[in-house]
Amino acid sequence: MLDGKKTLFSGMQATGNLTLGNYLGALKNWVQIADDYQTFYSVVDMHSITVRQDPAELRKRARNLLTLYIAAGLDPEKNCIYYQSHVSGHAELSWILSCFTYMGELNRMTQFKDKAAKHADNINAGLFTYPVLMAADILLYQADVVPVGIDQMQHLELTRDIAIRFNNIYGDVFTVPEAYIGKSGAKIMSLQDPSKKMSKSDENPNGSIYLMDDPDTIIRKCKRAVTDSIGCVKYCDEQPGIKNLIDIYCACCGKTPAEVEAEFDGKGYGDFKMAVGEAVVSVLKPIQERYADLTKNKDYIDHVIKENAEKASYYSNKTLRKVQKKVGFPEKIR
């Protein structure tokens, strides 16, 4: 616990383009809880290189993502927004924790199996030990809570197991993190396949709305969204495409599904899809305008990068020095 507040850690990879699902499901909530926690929001660029990246493109995407954090409403004076690769403690703690993580535990990670299947030509050790680096990300800042989706819950459980194992050997060193339980973010599905989450890596460009999509593109994607032949705006599992569009509309307008059903009672899908598109445009427009302004202010973004890296390093070094002493590393001569 820092400054009398519980600590929250989260991050996003600097790959692909952020989608409406990333914003409504995570980033929007980060902004809403910023005053309630001591927060560390990382651009997890170290995680990104388990898959081969173009160096110049990775640097560009990392800066764009950090800028988007701010454009979406995260105040870098209140939230520590930083590059993972700028804080060496992530890699140093990851190595130590890997010595307290069992091969059998990593073998059970379903995400490794999924990613290995997708990248059969590059099944590297980093892909296998990815969850240990994630544990280091979290434990380095003594995070009390971590917002995670279902797909990351297994990694958080491993983080807890590692922390408890280390504490049982060396005493009370790490805070054992809990999953963040608060107002859940909207779970936004693909516009073309509502059985799958909207994804940065969707091969169908019409399946995802990206935060930087222009209004015409957003409206067009909403009009092309998969629906059904029933013809009524109803929030039910039998109409997954319409249910997804209702979720998007509710998240953008602050309405309930019942209110949306009443609003579009007797109206066709065309009217509803147009309304959804316009609602998304109204939400993303101020973010896009703020982002455009920030990208012109290179000195300000550079200042944020430098100051927040120093802040993250300060807090992470307190944990790292304690861990290094516990495992028997010699103290540095200062």
Side-chain angles (χ1 to χ4, degrees):
M1 187 175 293
L2 301 173
D3 301 337
K5 294 181 179 179
K6 286 188 175 182
T7 300
L8 180 148
F9 174 89
S10 194
M12 292 184 184
Q13 282 204 45
T15 54
N17 296 308
L18 286 194
T19 70
L20 179 67
N22 295 130
Y23 175 68
L24 296 178
L27 194 48
K28 181 181 178 182
N29 279 354
W30 292 3
V31 175
Q32 292 173 341
I33 62 177
D35 292 332
D36 300 328
Y37 294 90
Q38 177 83 13
T39 56
F40 294 88
Y41 293 124
S42 182
V43 174
V44 288
D45 47 352
M46 291 169 65
H47 284 293
S48 300
I49 64 170
T50 57
V51 177
R52 295 286 175 264
Q53 303 290 339
D54 175 83
E57 187 67 17
L58 180 60
R59 280 189 286 271
K60 178 183 176 182
R61 289 190 183 279
R63 189 179 180 93
N64 290 349
L65 179 55
L66 185 140
T67 304
L68 263 176
Y69 280 177
I70 303 170
L74 288 175
D75 183 348
E77 296 295 324
K78 295 180 179 179
N79 305 273
C80 187
I81 303 168
Y82 70 100
Y83 294 141
Q84 182 189 29
S85 62
H86 282 194
V87 180
S88 62
H90 286 266
E92 293 184 71
L93 183 58
S94 181
W95 169 250
I96 295 172
L97 296 184
S98 70
C99 299
F100 293 83
T101 307
Y102 300 129
M103 293 287 288
E105 291 175 315
L106 294 178
N107 275 324
R108 289 194 292 272
M109 296 292 109
T110 56
Q111 275 213 339
F112 168 72
K113 297 172 184 176
D114 293 342
K115 290 187 176 182
K118 292 179 181 178
H119 304 282
D121 59 337
N122 183 26
I123 305 175
N124 56 71
L127 193 63
F128 187 66
T129 60
Y130 180 106
V132 183
L133 178 57
M134 183 179 286
D137 298 338
I138 297 165
L139 299 179
L140 197 57
Y141 300 98
Q142 303 290 354
D144 297 282
V145 291
V146 183
V148 289
I150 294 174
D151 57 337
Q152 296 289 352
M153 189 61 73
Q154 192 182 33
H155 288 168
L156 181 61
E157 287 301 323
L158 178 62
T159 299
R160 288 172 51 83
D161 290 343
I162 294 170
I164 292 169
R165 183 176 301 137
F166 196 94
N167 288 350
N168 285 341
I169 298 171
Y170 296 109
D172 188 16
V173 178
F174 292 122
T175 299
V176 180
E178 302 280 349
Y180 170 73
I181 305 297
K183 182 181 178 182
S184 60
K187 186 177 181 181
I188 306 302
M189 313 305 284
S190 166
L191 297 180
Q192 293 300 309
D193 183 357
S195 67
K196 299 178 181 178
K197 281 179 63 177
M198 186 176 286
S199 171
K200 292 189 291 183
S201 59
D202 195 331
E203 294 180 359
N204 186 340
N206 290 314
S208 298
I209 294 173
Y210 300 104
L211 294 197
M212 290 297 108
D213 278 349
D214 61 75
D216 288 344
T217 299
I218 292 169
I219 298 293
R220 186 180 71 251
K221 287 181 177 181
C222 287
K223 285 183 176 180
R224 292 179 177 176
V226 170
T227 52
D228 51 61
S229 59
I230 298 175
C232 65
V233 178
K234 191 76 174 174
Y235 192 76
C236 61
D237 292 337
E238 290 73 31
Q239 295 177 265
I242 289 297
K243 182 179 180 181
N244 185 42
L245 290 174
I246 291 175
D247 280 332
I248 293 172
Y249 192 67
C250 287
C252 291
C253 299
K255 296 183 178 181
T256 66
E259 289 172 335
V260 177
E261 288 180 351
E263 181 181 350
F264 292 94
D265 184 30
K267 295 182 180 179
Y269 288 165
D271 290 340
F272 178 53
K273 287 181 176 182
M274 180 58 110
V276 173
E278 290 174 345
V280 172
V281 169
S282 68
V283 166
L284 296 188
K285 184 179 179 181
I287 296 174
Q288 293 172 351
E289 291 175 346
R290 173 70 171 145
Y291 177 82
D293 289 340
L294 287 167
T295 54
K296 297 174 186 174
N297 196 339
K298 181 179 182 297
D299 290 344
Y300 172 71
I301 296 299
D302 287 347
H303 172 77
V304 169
I305 291 169
K306 180 176 181 293
E307 291 291 314
N308 280 248
E310 291 174 354
K311 181 180 178 181
S313 294
Y314 169 77
Y315 283 112
S316 64
N317 282 336
K318 292 201 292 187
T319 297
L320 187 61
R321 285 196 296 269
K322 187 175 183 180
V323 171
Q324 290 170 334
K325 183 176 181 180
K326 289 290 186 180
V327 299
F329 290 173
E331 290 189 32
K332 293 180 181 178
I333 306 301
R334 302 184 185 279

Coordinates of all heavy atoms in Angstrom, one line a residue, residues 103-143:
M103 N 8.5 -25.9 -13.6 CA 8.2 -26.2 -15.0 C 6.8 -26.7 -15.2 O 6.1 -26.3 -16.2 CB 9.2 -27.2 -15.5 CG 10.7 -26.7 -15.6 SD 10.9 -25.6 -16.9 CE 10.8 -26.7 -18.4
G104 N 6.4 -27.5 -14.3 CA 5.0 -28.0 -14.4 C 3.9 -26.9 -14.4 O 2.9 -27.1 -15.1
E105 N 4.2 -25.9 -13.6 CA 3.2 -24.8 -13.5 C 3.2 -24.1 -14.9 O 2.1 -23.7 -15.4 CB 3.7 -23.8 -12.4 CG 3.5 -24.3 -11.0 CD 4.1 -23.4 -10.0 OE1 5.2 -22.9 -10.1 OE2 3.4 -23.2 -8.9
L106 N 4.3 -23.8 -15.5 CA 4.4 -23.1 -16.8 C 3.8 -24.0 -17.9 O 3.2 -23.5 -18.8 CB 5.8 -22.7 -17.1 CG 6.4 -21.7 -16.2 CD1 7.8 -21.4 -16.6 CD2 5.6 -20.4 -16.2
N107 N 4.0 -25.3 -17.8 CA 3.4 -26.3 -18.7 C 1.9 -26.2 -18.8 O 1.3 -26.6 -19.8 CB 3.9 -27.7 -18.5 CG 5.3 -28.0 -19.1 OD1 5.6 -27.5 -20.1 ND2 6.1 -28.8 -18.4
R108 N 1.3 -25.9 -17.7 CA -0.1 -25.9 -17.6 C -0.8 -24.6 -18.1 O -2.0 -24.5 -18.2 CB -0.6 -26.1 -16.1 CG -0.3 -27.5 -15.6 CD -1.1 -27.7 -14.3 NE -0.6 -26.9 -13.2 CZ 0.4 -27.3 -12.4 NH1 1.0 -28.5 -12.6 NH2 0.8 -26.6 -11.4
M109 N 0.0 -23.6 -18.5 CA -0.5 -22.3 -18.9 C -1.1 -22.4 -20.3 O -0.5 -22.7 -21.3 CB 0.6 -21.2 -19.0 CG 1.2 -20.9 -17.6 SD 0.1 -20.0 -16.5 CE -0.2 -21.3 -15.3
T110 N -2.4 -22.2 -20.4 CA -3.1 -22.4 -21.6 C -2.8 -21.4 -22.7 O -2.8 -21.7 -23.9 CB -4.7 -22.4 -21.4 OG1 -5.0 -21.2 -20.8 CG2 -5.1 -23.5 -20.5
Q111 N -2.4 -20.2 -22.2 CA -2.1 -19.2 -23.2 C -0.8 -19.5 -24.0 O -0.6 -19.2 -25.2 CB -1.9 -17.8 -22.6 CG -3.2 -17.0 -22.4 CD -3.0 -15.5 -22.5 OE1 -1.9 -15.0 -22.3 NE2 -4.1 -14.8 -22.8
F112 N 0.2 -20.2 -23.3 CA 1.4 -20.7 -24.0 C 1.0 -21.7 -25.1 O 1.5 -21.6 -26.2 CB 2.3 -21.3 -23.0 CG 3.5 -22.0 -23.7 CD1 4.5 -21.3 -24.3 CD2 3.5 -23.4 -23.7 CE1 5.5 -22.0 -25.0 CE2 4.6 -24.1 -24.3 CZ 5.6 -23.4 -25.0
K113 N 0.1 -22.6 -24.8 CA -0.3 -23.6 -25.7 C -1.0 -22.9 -26.9 O -0.7 -23.3 -28.1 CB -1.2 -24.6 -25.1 CG -0.5 -25.4 -24.0 CD -1.6 -26.3 -23.2 CE -0.9 -27.0 -22.1 NZ -1.9 -27.7 -21.3
D114 N -1.8 -21.9 -26.7 CA -2.5 -21.2 -27.7 C -1.6 -20.4 -28.6 O -1.6 -20.5 -29.9 CB -3.6 -20.3 -27.1 CG -4.7 -21.0 -26.4 OD1 -4.9 -22.2 -26.7 OD2 -5.4 -20.4 -25.6
K115 N -0.7 -19.7 -28.0 CA 0.3 -18.9 -28.8 C 1.3 -19.7 -29.5 O 1.7 -19.4 -30.6 CB 1.0 -17.9 -27.8 CG 0.0 -16.8 -27.3 CD 0.8 -15.7 -26.6 CE -0.2 -14.6 -26.2 NZ 0.5 -13.5 -25.5
A116 N 1.7 -20.9 -28.9 CA 2.7 -21.7 -29.5 C 2.0 -22.3 -30.8 O 2.7 -22.5 -31.8 CB 3.1 -22.9 -28.6
A117 N 0.7 -22.6 -30.7 CA 0.1 -23.1 -31.9 C 0.0 -22.1 -33.0 O 0.1 -22.4 -34.2 CB -1.3 -23.6 -31.5
K118 N -0.1 -20.8 -32.7 CA -0.2 -19.7 -33.6 C 1.1 -19.4 -34.2 O 1.2 -18.9 -35.3 CB -0.9 -18.5 -33.0 CG -2.3 -18.7 -32.7 CD -2.9 -17.4 -32.1 CE -4.4 -17.5 -31.7 NZ -4.9 -16.3 -31.0
H119 N 2.2 -19.6 -33.4 CA 3.6 -19.2 -33.8 C 4.5 -20.4 -33.7 O 5.5 -20.4 -33.0 CB 4.1 -18.1 -32.9 CG 3.2 -16.9 -32.9 ND1 3.1 -15.9 -34.0 CD2 2.3 -16.4 -32.0 CE1 2.2 -15.0 -33.7 NE2 1.7 -15.3 -32.5
A120 N 4.1 -21.5 -34.5 CA 4.9 -22.7 -34.4 C 6.3 -22.6 -34.9 O 7.2 -23.4 -34.5 CB 4.1 -23.8 -35.2
D121 N 6.6 -21.6 -35.6 CA 8.0 -21.4 -36.1 C 8.8 -20.6 -35.2 O 10.0 -20.3 -35.4 CB 8.0 -20.7 -37.5 CG 7.3 -19.3 -37.4 OD1 6.4 -19.1 -36.5 OD2 7.6 -18.4 -38.3
N122 N 8.2 -20.1 -34.0 CA 9.0 -19.3 -33.1 C 8.5 -19.6 -31.6 O 8.1 -18.7 -30.9 CB 8.8 -17.8 -33.4 CG 9.6 -16.9 -32.5 OD1 10.6 -17.3 -31.9 ND2 9.2 -15.7 -32.4
I123 N 8.6 -20.8 -31.2 CA 8.2 -21.2 -29.9 C 9.5 -21.0 -29.0 O 10.3 -21.9 -28.7 CB 7.7 -22.7 -29.8 CG1 6.6 -22.9 -30.8 CG2 7.3 -23.0 -28.4 CD1 6.1 -24.3 -30.9
N124 N 9.7 -19.8 -28.5 CA 10.9 -19.4 -27.8 C 10.7 -19.5 -26.3 O 9.6 -19.6 -25.8 CB 11.3 -18.0 -28.2 CG 10.2 -16.9 -28.0 OD1 9.9 -16.6 -26.9 ND2 9.6 -16.5 -29.1
A125 N 11.8 -19.4 -25.5 CA 11.8 -19.5 -24.1 C 11.0 -18.4 -23.5 O 10.3 -18.5 -22.4 CB 13.2 -19.6 -23.5
G126 N 11.0 -17.2 -24.1 CA 10.3 -16.1 -23.6 C 8.8 -16.3 -23.6 O 8.1 -15.9 -22.7
L127 N 8.3 -17.0 -24.6 CA 6.9 -17.3 -24.7 C 6.5 -18.2 -23.6 O 5.4 -18.1 -23.0 CB 6.6 -17.9 -26.1 CG 5.2 -18.1 -26.5 CD1 4.5 -16.7 -26.7 CD2 5.1 -18.9 -27.8
F128 N 7.4 -19.1 -23.2 CA 7.2 -20.1 -22.2 C 7.2 -19.4 -20.8 O 6.4 -19.7 -19.9 CB 8.2 -21.2 -22.2 CG 7.9 -22.4 -21.3 CD1 6.8 -23.2 -21.4 CD2 8.8 -22.6 -20.3 CE1 6.6 -24.2 -20.6 CE2 8.6 -23.7 -19.4 CZ 7.5 -24.5 -19.5
T129 N 8.2 -18.5 -20.6 CA 8.3 -17.9 -19.3 C 7.6 -16.5 -19.1 O 7.7 -15.8 -18.1 CB 9.8 -17.7 -18.9 OG1 10.4 -16.8 -19.9 CG2 10.6 -19.0 -18.9
Y130 N 6.8 -16.2 -20.1 CA 6.0 -15.0 -20.2 C 5.2 -14.8 -18.8 O 5.2 -13.6 -18.3 CB 5.1 -15.1 -21.3 CG 4.1 -14.0 -21.6 CD1 4.3 -13.1 -22.7 CD2 2.9 -13.8 -20.8 CE1 3.4 -12.1 -23.0 CE2 2.0 -12.8 -21.1 CZ 2.3 -11.9 -22.2 OH 1.4 -10.9 -22.4
P131 N 4.6 -15.8 -18.3 CA 3.9 -15.6 -17.0 C 4.7 -15.2 -15.8 O 4.3 -14.5 -14.9 CB 3.2 -17.0 -16.8 CG 3.2 -17.6 -18.1 CD 4.4 -17.2 -18.8
V132 N 6.0 -15.6 -15.9 CA 6.9 -15.2 -14.8 C 7.2 -13.7 -14.9 O 7.3 -13.0 -13.8 CB 8.2 -16.0 -14.8 CG1 9.1 -15.6 -13.6 CG2 8.0 -17.5 -14.8
L133 N 7.4 -13.2 -16.1 CA 7.6 -11.7 -16.3 C 6.4 -11.0 -15.8 O 6.4 -9.9 -15.2 CB 8.0 -11.4 -17.7 CG 8.2 -9.9 -18.1 CD1 9.2 -9.3 -17.2 CD2 8.5 -9.8 -19.5
M134 N 5.2 -11.5 -16.1 CA 4.0 -10.9 -15.7 C 3.9 -10.9 -14.2 O 3.4 -9.9 -13.6 CB 2.7 -11.7 -16.3 CG 1.4 -11.0 -16.0 SD 0.0 -11.9 -16.7 CE 0.2 -11.4 -18.4
A135 N 4.3 -12.0 -13.5 CA 4.3 -12.0 -12.1 C 5.2 -10.9 -11.5 O 4.9 -10.2 -10.6 CB 4.8 -13.4 -11.6
A136 N 6.4 -10.7 -12.2 CA 7.4 -9.7 -11.8 C 6.7 -8.3 -11.9 O 6.9 -7.4 -11.1 CB 8.6 -9.8 -12.6
D137 N 6.0 -8.1 -13.0 CA 5.4 -6.8 -13.3 C 4.5 -6.4 -12.1 O 4.5 -5.3 -11.6 CB 4.5 -6.9 -14.5 CG 5.2 -7.2 -15.8 OD1 6.4 -6.9 -15.9 OD2 4.5 -7.7 -16.7
I138 N 3.7 -7.4 -11.6 CA 2.7 -7.2 -10.6 C 3.4 -7.0 -9.2 O 3.1 -6.1 -8.4 CB 1.7 -8.3 -10.6 CG1 0.9 -8.3 -11.9 CG2 0.8 -8.2 -9.4 CD1 0.2 -9.6 -12.1
L139 N 4.3 -8.0 -8.9 CA 4.9 -8.1 -7.5 C 5.9 -7.0 -7.3 O 6.1 -6.6 -6.2 CB 5.5 -9.4 -7.3 CG 4.6 -10.6 -7.4 CD1 5.3 -11.9 -7.2 CD2 3.4 -10.5 -6.4
L140 N 6.5 -6.5 -8.4 CA 7.5 -5.4 -8.3 C 6.9 -4.2 -7.6 O 7.7 -3.5 -6.9 CB 8.0 -5.1 -9.7 CG 9.3 -4.3 -9.8 CD1 10.5 -5.0 -9.1 CD2 9.6 -4.1 -11.3
Y141 N 5.6 -3.9 -7.8 CA 5.0 -2.7 -7.2 C 4.1 -3.0 -6.0 O 3.4 -2.2 -5.6 CB 4.2 -2.0 -8.3 CG 5.1 -1.6 -9.4 CD1 5.2 -2.3 -10.6 CD2 5.9 -0.4 -9.3 CE1 6.1 -2.0 -11.6 CE2 6.8 -0.1 -10.3 CZ 6.9 -0.9 -11.5 OH 7.8 -0.5 -12.5
Q142 N 4.3 -4.3 -5.5 CA 3.5 -4.7 -4.4 C 2.0 -4.4 -4.6 O 1.2 -3.9 -3.7 CB 3.9 -4.0 -3.1 CG 5.4 -4.1 -2.7 CD 5.7 -5.6 -2.3 OE1 4.8 -6.4 -2.1 NE2 7.0 -5.8 -2.1
A143 N 1.5 -4.8 -5.8 CA 0.1 -4.5 -6.2 C -0.8 -5.3 -5.3 O -0.7 -6.5 -5.1 CB -0.1 -4.8 -7.7

